[in-house]
Amino acid sequence: MEYLKNYIIISVMLLTLSVTGQQRVFTALDSVYLTDSKLKEFSTGRNLISIPDSLLLNNSALLTNTLNFNTPIYFKENGLGMVSSPSFRGTSASQTAVLWNGININSQFNGQLDFNTVNAGAYSEISVRGGGGSIVYGSGAIGGSVHLNTRLIYEDTTAHNIFLQYGSYNTKDVRYNLNLATKEWSLNLALARTSSDNDYELPNGSKNLNGGFENTALNVGVGFKINNQNSLRFFSEIFDGERHFSVLRTSETRTKYQDVNSKNLLEWESHFGEFVSIARLAYLEENYKYFPNINSDSFSFGEAKTVVAKYDLSYSITDKLKLNTVLTNTNTNGKGSSFGENKRNIFAAALLLKHRIDPKFNYELGFRKEATANYESPFLFSLAATKDLNSLFSLNFNASRNFRIPTYNDLYWPSAGNPDLLPEKSLQGEVGVAFSLNNFKAILSIYYNKISDMIRWLPANDGVWRPVNEDKVRIYGLESTLSWSKKFQNNHIISTNATYSYTVSENEETRYQLIYVPYHKATVNVNYDYNRLNANLQFLRVGEVFTRSDNNSRYNLEGYNVGNFSLGYRLGKSEKIELGGRVNNFFDAEYQSVENRWMPGRNYTMYLNFKL
């Protein structure tokens, strides 16, 4: 606790300095704002992939689809729209942190996010950050982090966007986005609704049974500039979804899952000379109901209510040196039919430093410590640097210690939870090189990650399965991204984005590759514009995966290639209406990312996009 007391004293001193420094020159607030400011500000030496809203329309509304075709993250899906969990750089699903406007939204129950319960159409920008990020983003940021952001624009703007899509299996996708703003206030509203009967044909000739799903998401961001030094912002999201889990045989009992989640965030930002103060208060609710028989009113449930208070104070010591301290308190009340009612409070203090020594070299340092009554948190650190060798090449480096806390299920499951669990810990390093020439950019990174105290549920002497800190995992590999764009004469524009990853993720004792972690994954996205015409080609290649912990190749899932193609044409004098269609999986590949859970073959959609 002495460590935490020191951080509190430092923060109070900085706050006092900010008050005494009010006579200094004020810094005007930005005209474009993303509340997750740390994403770009403290990502030195790390690979950052951003997917703007213009590219989101090239994918289905489910977040899994967007990330699968545009990032190195591997997803295993129990069929289209069913449970979807990621493996980022060879880690488990609970070792990828998901941030909503800078707030960690991983489930309090199992520590992970089901990416098919997120409607990508509700966000302005989606970003992916590879490597450890627990210093800034807390628990779970071991393999990497996914960031869902709402952008506020403080310019005279009135813009409406309506996107309508209909496709095979009675799939409907409706998205509406409104940007309304002046130089003093800004409103961003996004409403997204998707549904599908999801009764696609399986390779054996039968239909996907009980696979229907639907969800609605409403995301609102509002900002007010009180004056040049102060602003208030409020973000809110409601997600309401229902899925019928697919069954393999007609004799199986059909089930369904309902979840209603809400997120609310209030921010107050103040600029005082060289100080920037941001106070945040967030309230998150997570609710689910699982019906083991779709025809019965009987269900199991889980509810979690979380309050996050966060204070962020940065001080620009010089134009080249910046210090940032972050204090966070997270209080969660959870209850459920499986673990009763429990509470958890976590206090965290972090100190960040960023220093640009000269125009060609900068580095950053970070430290974090948490305090809670439920487990002993490790001391975390990070170091990262970037060095420009010349106008073409730069070197990147980062090293960090990261962690993941035990979940409610791990700690409190009746007659099985283990209150003595330690957090999972990770020590990792990464070296990369970036090449940039005109409109071409390529990044190649090599990384190593050693994870200890991994939590596994194992049978005890009394036959009851209990969680213990058991596994040690060694992960290493490489990750590359490239992008290129070119405008030719006569309005021909071509842009390309591609990723490739090679991943070895093995149990340190047995040296076996972890299940559902492919050695190879590659994506290619090519976009072509000519006057009113737009064409887009997506390609996904995933190598074979093991499904048995002893790596018995007899049960391997074969690698697969999936391609999507879309063609659109803009109508009218203003070209604000686009009519188009898509062919998904045009190879008609028979593939599965989870054993016996087949994905759909070739299917079609048509869309209308209105920009008003």
Side-chain angles (χ1 to χ4, degrees), residues 146-174:
V146 176
H147 303 257
L148 313 173
N149 289 319
T150 299
R151 182 172 55 242
L152 294 177
I153 301 174
Y154 292 93
E155 297 175 351
D156 292 330
T157 303
T158 301
H160 303 264
N161 196 111
I162 303 173
F163 181 79
L164 307 173
Q165 185 169 232
Y166 182 80
S168 303
Y169 327 121
N170 193 31
T171 301
K172 303 169 185 175
D173 181 9
V174 179

Side-chain angles (χ1 to χ4, degrees), residues 170-186:
N170 193 31
T171 301
K172 303 169 185 175
D173 181 9
V174 179
R175 311 181 203 182
Y176 170 71
N177 183 260
L178 168 65
N179 280 290
L180 189 62
T182 68
K183 294 181 180 179
E184 288 76 35
W185 59 270
S186 178

